[in-house]
Amino acid sequence: MKIGLYFGTFNPIHVGHLTIANHLAEYSDLDKVWFIVTPHSPFKKKSSLLDDRQRYEMVYRATEDYLKLEPSDIEFSMPQPNYTVNTLAYLQEKYPKHEFALIMGEDNLKSFHKWKNYEQILLNHHIYIYPRISSGNAMAKFDDHPKVHKVDAPIMELSSTFIRKAIKEGKNIRPMLPENVWEYLDEMNFYK
């Protein structure tokens, strides 16, 4: 089975995340997409994050009606801060019959060469790149790389940062979230 790994803090998960993941599950050779809920990204400040389990709960609620999309808390039990290369090695060991691929936005590809052991990741895993509106050609360095695949997915310019800010300002962001995620956020008074 070929699994696409969509890493993120998902703080909160929104319809943009779901649209991209579902597109990859339906229109690529990936059998499933796992949302890897990251406890703490080495590139983000932890203070702005909701509790790990609360973010996992939102991803669980967002994906429960999609057969090809699944939440994963695999990184919760790993040493922090964690690096993608370590998670990939752990998953490969735990699920030797699966093939794992990375899913990332075109903007993340620009800094991919700064990731810990990025060469090893490229050696062992395919990377599916979804388009983002950003300056410069992120693909140039990887244009002809046999393991880097640009996917013609919808461009989703919606961010968790925008949603958190809008909630804090009292804006109605309900259409930007899966219904059961919005209900959970509202019930728990998150980001207010």
Side-chain angles (χ1 to χ4, degrees):
M1 187 175 287
K2 193 167 186 180
I3 310 288
L5 303 175
Y6 194 174
F7 286 81
T9 52
F10 304 112
N11 187 35
I13 189 169
H14 53 67
V15 295
H17 295 129
L18 280 177
T19 301
I20 289 163
N22 189 65
H23 184 88
L24 282 153
E26 295 294 337
Y27 294 98
S28 75
D29 62 345
L30 298 173
D31 297 302
K32 286 191 175 222
V33 172
W34 291 359
F35 286 84
I36 309 293
V37 181
T38 306
H40 177 230
S41 165
F43 302 107
K44 291 190 179 184
K45 291 180 185 162
K46 192 156 174 107
S47 61
S48 65
L49 290 182
L50 282 183
D51 176 76
D52 297 344
R53 285 281 159 209
Q54 291 168 332
R55 290 180 293 111
Y56 176 84
E57 177 65 22
M58 287 190 288
V59 174
Y60 173 82
R61 288 174 183 230
T63 58
E64 65 184 336
D65 292 334
Y66 297 87
L67 294 175
K68 296 181 180 180
L69 308 181
E70 293 181 17
S72 173
D73 62 359
I74 199 96
E75 288 196 334
F76 290 7
S77 58
M78 298 179 79
Q80 300 303 322
N82 187 33
Y83 296 94
T84 303
V85 68
N86 300 340
T87 304
L88 289 166
Y90 179 75
L91 284 168
Q92 209 61 73
E93 192 176 296
K94 187 169 175 157
Y95 303 100
K97 292 183 179 176
H98 290 352
E99 180 185 342
F100 292 100
L102 279 180
I103 295 169
M104 72 170 75
E106 195 173 6
D107 51 334
N108 288 324
L109 193 60
K110 289 179 183 174
S111 60
F112 182 61
H113 65 282
K114 296 178 184 173
W115 289 26
K116 183 177 178 176
N117 299 355
Y118 85 94
E119 302 96 336
Q120 185 184 341
I121 294 172
L122 269 177
L123 190 65
N124 298 312
H125 304 277
H126 287 266
I127 302 178
Y128 291 77
I129 306 297
Y130 59 86
R132 297 291 299 258
I133 296 172
S134 61
S135 58
N137 181 6
M139 296 292 285
K141 183 175 180 170
F142 301 103
D143 267 347
D144 297 320
H145 200 288
K147 297 244 178 127
V148 177
H149 313 282
K150 189 165 185 179
V151 179
D152 188 23
I155 295 176
M156 303 299 295
E157 287 303 309
L158 180 60
S159 74
S160 297
T161 304
F162 173 84
I163 289 171
R164 289 192 308 272
K165 186 173 182 278
I167 291 171
K168 198 170 189 169
E169 293 170 355
K171 306 289 187 201
N172 179 4
I173 48 79
R174 195 170 179 167
M176 299 173 198
L177 301 168
E179 184 66 23
N180 49 4
V181 171
W182 182 85
E183 287 167 0
Y184 182 64
L185 284 179
D186 191 51
E187 174 192 330
M188 301 295 282
N189 273 320
F190 289 150
Y191 308 119
K192 292 181 178 172

